[in-house]
Amino acid sequence: MRKVSLAMSTDPRAAIFDFKDAVQAVRDGDLDSIAATDRLLLQLSEIELLWLLDGDVGRFQIITLPAKIRAGPITGGEIKRLGIPGIRFSDGPRGVVMGPSTSFPVTMARAATWDPALEQQVGLAMGREARAQGANYSGAVCINLLRHPAWGRAQECYGDDPVLIGKMGAALTRGLRPNVMACVKHFALNSMENARFIVDVQVDEHALHEVYLPHFKAVIKAGADSVMSAYNSVNGDWMDMNTVLLTDVLRDEWGFTGFVTSDWVYGTHDAIKSLEAGMDVEMPARLLRARRLTKALKAGRISRDLVMRSARRIIATQIRHMAERSSDEPGPNVLACEAHRALARTVATQAAVLLKNDDVSGAPLLPLDAPKLRKVAVLGRLADAANLGDRGSSMVHPPTTCSALAGLREALPDAELLHHDGQDIAAAAEIATAADVAVLVVGYTADDEGESIVNDNLDGAAVLGPPFSWKPVQWLLGKLAKRTMAQFAIGGDRLSLTLPADDEALIIAVSAVNPRTIVVVIGGSAIIMEAWKRAVPSILMAWYPGMEGGRAIADVLIGKVEPGGRLPFVIPTDSAHLPFFDAQARSIVYDRWWGQRLLTRDGHKAAFPFGFGKGYTRFKVELTGLDENGAKVEVHNLGARHGAAVVQLYAFDATATPPILQLVGFRRVEAAAGAQHEIAIMIDLTPLQQRSPESRNWSKRPGNWQLVAAQACPDLAEINDALAKNLAIVL
């Protein structure tokens, strides 16, 4: 062990106190992270201090960012003289974006597992792969609430419920932190894609603190090291300059001690005001701050103390991370290793949501009886596609992928697989006529939904400095941006909530000639299925299922494993039942009505309610009591095979008309055929709390609050039945 001398020396030839010394002093208990940081900061020049406050990429290197991101971590604040590594950032939400890493199912798919323990394993795998490639900082924790399913980056988040989002985001954070610092994003109210650079979100105190922030608070409590501010503004202030959220709430109210970075390139609007508001690092390049802070410091427009405040947060967080991180040093052999591929496959099966499974010839169509299959039609333009999801900042480059067609070929070696891309619908239907079963793989790709590639906001170009800040150049850039969007625009917010018309036509045609038709749906959030769902017996929501997705789909269809997923959002029958959404809005109001709660308030029955999903066996769940460990629930597998249930706890005010259900707890339970277990589920009462804007204190919301256990969000008839049969318990 290297022993650190804590005495300061005035001899310039003496060994300096470097970053390794600081880490060792904290590990040994000789200094805390703040004291060790201050020892380091005393040795930094003014130039070095300011160097900490932005990324290390040069402004003219921005154009090469995609290649840089894939090649290795993007650094910020590296100071080699003192061995300070700087933040070494790598995305992303479905796997490490560097190198040949494991591509897991997208975040929304993992939300559908309702399994925080499994998500923590994913975080551990991601952290090890990121660390093995030189990163110490991950942007994987994306927890913006899904307000509307048209949001292009919905696939990167955990659904539309704050409790589910918070628990899953906290689990990923805990998994990452043994190897890399965890960054939670995008703070806050970022759930529109096309307008993300221009939109101002107007929100009242209730909706802000009780709907859109609780999951961020939960992830901060779980140990998140960093927060990324969003592009949008909130109540008139850009998020990088939003003192109310970055300082008053995040630091003063929640006690966050880590550092805040901007979203990339266009996420910083003012070098000085952002620093004052509490945004510590401009990422990923030396842009606004590099041009303005040196002069501002010399002229006295900012104080050295203000610079030191952010510098202390940045360095102290790095020291704490290095002092606490796992001593196991993963090597390149962990990238897409056998264990991580197996984990990706498991996650994909537990994420798959069986939405429908009607009887055909007297028995449910799924699972398929594999030995009896002779001809299987596998149809659709996505059947043989490596469809991993968005191709923006979350894009992963796995060494291999497995399509649904390839997975079924492996799983059914004795059957003849008849493949057709479905472009000629009549030909595809003819193939289906001769098959024992038809499997249609339909849905979306990165062309339909994802991160918006082009920024046509002319003001945003000014961040790059001259000549991009000159009006004639901005005019030209605007023209080029519009032409680029017209010719090459992909991703962004979704144009429709239904499947493409060709996919719907294919489903109708094939189901008309083969009653044993299974529709496998690929996508990142809710898809309205009213035009065709009654025509087919079985529907499986497979999401963007990752590099092992094809094998996972086959595993579920042949019954090797249960379809383990439950919806992390509601699917309506009509897009008119959802909140107002304008993909080009410059201003929009976010209130407390969205998702299942909005449908319940307005009396609209969901096509598939929040939390819904079928399995290959049947469960009964019954709430039996409350104690210090939470709610006690009896779980009974009534079927003839092993399976899993996701037990969900909902609270409601019995005096409200109608009662609005609030998820307050959940637990995934495995049970053998016929088995019965009593389980305990911790209750999160946050949704029943209200915050006083004046005192910032929280108190229980008035009402006759009662608790029920269910396997999906109950409707009004089920609530009334629970009350009549005394199945609800007063909280």
Side-chain angles (χ1 to χ4, degrees):
M1 180 181 293
R2 179 185 183 188
K3 191 64 178 175
V4 177
S5 171
L6 299 183
M8 290 291 288
S9 173
T10 59
D11 184 350
R13 297 170 296 177
I16 60 174
F17 183 80
D18 65 11
F19 185 79
K20 287 184 179 179
D21 295 332
V23 171
Q24 193 63 55
V26 172
R27 282 180 181 157
D28 293 343
D30 296 327
L31 293 174
D32 63 26
S33 60
I34 298 300
T37 296
D38 287 342
R39 286 283 303 275
L40 276 176
L41 294 181
L42 284 173
Q43 301 173 82
L44 296 185
S45 67
E46 182 178 289
I47 292 176
E48 288 172 326
L49 277 173
L50 294 177
W51 186 269
L52 296 173
L53 305 186
D54 55 22
D56 294 348
V57 176
R59 70 183 180 115
F60 291 113
Q61 294 177 305
I62 292 292
I63 196 171
T64 67
L65 262 182
K68 287 181 175 294
I69 290 167
R70 183 173 180 179
I74 303 299
T75 63
E78 179 182 15
I79 300 177
K80 294 181 179 179
R81 182 177 69 85
L82 291 177
I84 297 173
I87 57 176
R88 309 180 70 81
F89 180 90
S90 183
D91 246 329
R94 57 187 152 111
V96 179
V97 300
M98 305 179 293
S101 301
T102 306
S103 180
F104 290 95
V106 293
T107 310
M108 189 66 81
R110 304 198 311 273
T113 69
W114 292 62
D115 191 342
L118 185 63
E119 183 67 351
Q120 187 165 334
Q121 292 181 44
V122 171
L124 182 61
M126 288 181 178
R128 287 174 59 79
E129 293 196 11
R131 180 174 172 181
Q133 297 178 81
N136 65 9
Y137 179 38
S138 169
V141 191
C142 183
I143 61 166
N144 294 104
L145 181 141
L146 177 67
R147 178 178 172 272
H148 194 285
W151 177 30
R153 293 177 77 177
Q155 63 191 266
E156 293 187 44
C157 76
Y158 290 106
D160 69 6
D161 185 88
V163 169
L164 177 61
I165 297 169
K167 291 187 182 301
M168 296 299 286
L172 186 67
T173 298
R174 288 192 296 269
L176 289 166
R177 294 190 72 243
N179 288 288
V180 291
M181 295 178 286
C183 174
V184 58
K185 63 186 186 184
H186 307 84
F187 191 68
L189 291 95
N190 175 272
S191 56
M192 298 173 64
E193 189 57 17
N194 295 5
R196 60 180 173 160
F197 300 113
I198 59 174
V199 70
D200 178 52
V201 179
Q202 296 289 316
V203 62
D204 65 23
E205 285 286 305
H206 165 79
L208 176 64
H209 289 278
E210 298 167 30
V211 175
Y212 296 99
L213 293 187
H215 38 292
F216 279 97
K217 186 177 181 180
V219 174
I220 295 298
K221 186 177 179 180
D225 304 275
S226 176
V227 170
M228 179 184 289
S229 61
Y231 287 122
N232 55 281
S233 61
V234 175
N235 292 335
D237 291 325
W238 295 112
M239 271 309 307
D240 63 297
M241 301 187 296
N242 199 307
T243 303
V244 170
L245 284 167
L246 293 187
T247 295
D248 298 350
V249 173
L250 182 62
R251 297 194 182 281
D252 297 345
E253 194 168 336
W254 296 354
F256 178 62
T257 59
F259 62 91
V260 176
T261 72
S262 72
D263 207 336
W264 284 28
V265 183
Y266 301 109
T268 304
H269 296 83
D270 187 283
I272 296 174
K273 291 179 181 178
S274 65
L275 192 62
E276 292 171 338
M279 200 275 284
D280 301 305
V281 185
E282 178 185 13
M283 283 296 283
R286 298 183 52 72
L287 298 172
L288 282 177
R289 289 186 171 179
R291 296 198 301 274
R292 297 176 185 171
L293 288 189
T294 300
K295 293 179 181 178
L297 186 59
K298 288 180 179 178
R301 293 197 300 274
I302 60 172
S303 67
R304 183 179 174 85
D305 286 346
L306 182 62
V307 174
M308 289 288 283
R309 183 182 73 172
S310 285
R312 185 174 289 112
R313 294 167 179 166
I314 296 162
I315 297 299
T317 306
Q318 292 179 53
I319 290 173
R320 285 195 297 269
H321 164 66
M322 288 297 295
E324 298 170 0
R325 77 173 183 172
S326 168
S327 59
D328 177 34
E329 196 67 48
N333 61 317
V334 304
L335 304 184
C337 63
E338 184 176 344
H340 291 178
R341 290 173 189 240
L343 178 60
R345 184 170 178 173
T346 296
V347 172
T349 60
Q350 291 200 16
V353 181
L354 185 60
L355 294 174
K356 190 178 181 187
N357 193 26
D358 291 349
D359 286 2
V360 178
S361 301
L365 178 54
L366 293 176
L368 298 173
D369 190 348
K372 293 183 179 179
L373 295 176
R374 293 293 174 263
K375 290 185 177 181
V376 177
V378 185
L379 311 172
R381 60 193 172 86
L382 302 182
D384 198 25
N387 194 8
L388 302 178
D390 179 32
R391 294 196 293 269
S393 60
S394 66
M395 183 165 59
V396 182
H397 306 273
T400 62
T401 59
C402 181
S403 68
L405 177 63
L408 285 166
R409 279 181 174 149
E410 286 185 15
L412 302 170
D414 298 325
E416 180 184 0
L417 266 65
L418 311 171
H419 173 236
H420 192 283
D421 65 9
Q423 299 303 299
D424 183 334
I425 292 175
E430 184 177 351
I431 290 172
T433 304
D436 299 325
V437 64
V439 179
L440 279 69
V441 186
V442 297
Y444 297 124
T445 71
D447 291 340
D448 305 303
E449 58 180 356
E451 187 167 7
S452 180
I453 304 300
V454 179
N455 176 16
D456 64 344
N457 177 22
L458 302 184
D459 296 332
V463 73
L464 301 173
F468 304 103
S469 56
W470 300 343
K471 291 299 181 182
V473 175
Q474 289 190 359
W475 178 85
L476 178 60
L477 289 174
K479 289 288 187 181
L480 291 173
K482 288 179 181 178
R483 180 178 297 178
T484 301
M485 290 182 72
Q487 293 180 356
F488 305 110
I490 62 171
D493 296 316
R494 212 194 284 172
L495 298 177
S496 171
L497 299 187
T498 59
L499 288 176
D502 288 349
D503 280 351
E504 291 194 338
L506 179 65
I507 294 169
I508 296 298
V510 170
S511 62
V513 299
N514 191 326
R516 296 171 60 81
T517 295
I518 303 159
V519 178
V520 177
V521 182
I522 307 297
S525 66
I527 296 172
I528 294 177
M529 307 175 182
E530 297 308 295
W532 54 270
K533 74 176 186 182
R534 293 171 185 83
V536 298
S538 295
I539 305 172
L540 183 73
M541 186 71 186
W543 316 100
Y544 296 104
M547 65 184 294
E548 293 292 321
R551 295 184 178 94
I553 289 169
D555 288 343
V556 169
L557 294 184
I558 67 172
K560 183 178 179 180
V561 295
E562 282 271 305
R566 305 294 184 265
L567 287 176
F569 48 68
V570 64
I571 299 181
T573 59
D574 191 323
S575 61
H577 300 164
L578 296 170
F580 172 74
F581 185 86
D582 177 5
Q584 307 303 326
R586 288 186 172 270
S587 180
I588 194 165
V589 175
Y590 280 17
D591 61 20
R592 64 192 183 101
W593 297 107
W594 84 102
Q596 183 72 60
R597 301 177 199 197
L598 179 59
L599 268 66
T600 301
R601 185 199 70 177
D602 294 345
H604 297 304
K605 187 176 179 60
F608 302 103
F610 174 78
F612 178 82
K614 292 176 172 288
Y616 293 152
T617 185
R618 295 182 302 110
F619 279 86
K620 178 183 178 181
V621 302
E622 184 176 347
L623 182 64
T624 59
L626 297 173
D627 60 21
E628 65 277 5
N629 296 316
K632 293 186 291 184
V633 181
E634 289 283 350
V635 182
H636 187 189
N637 184 347
L638 302 175
R641 62 173 284 165
H642 179 278
V646 176
V647 183
Q648 303 160 39
L649 300 178
Y650 292 91
F652 63 96
D653 177 6
T655 65
T657 306
I660 305 299
L661 279 295
Q662 312 274 350
L663 181 72
V664 293
F666 61 89
R667 182 172 167 185
R668 184 184 184 87
V669 182
E670 300 272 344
Q676 187 167 346
H677 304 287
E678 182 179 80
I679 64 169
I681 304 177
M682 292 299 297
I683 300 174
D684 182 350
L685 294 177
T686 303
L688 278 57
Q689 303 291 307
Q690 60 184 2
R691 176 184 178 273
S692 166
E694 293 78 23
S695 68
R696 300 183 179 179
N697 292 327
W698 291 77
S699 60
K700 189 174 181 180
R701 196 182 310 281
N704 176 17
W705 290 98
Q706 303 209 27
L707 186 72
V708 292
Q711 297 181 69
C713 187
D715 60 22
L716 184 58
E718 291 169 319
I719 289 298
N720 289 334
D721 185 59
L723 290 170
K725 294 179 180 178
N726 295 318
L727 297 176
I729 295 179
V730 176
L731 282 169

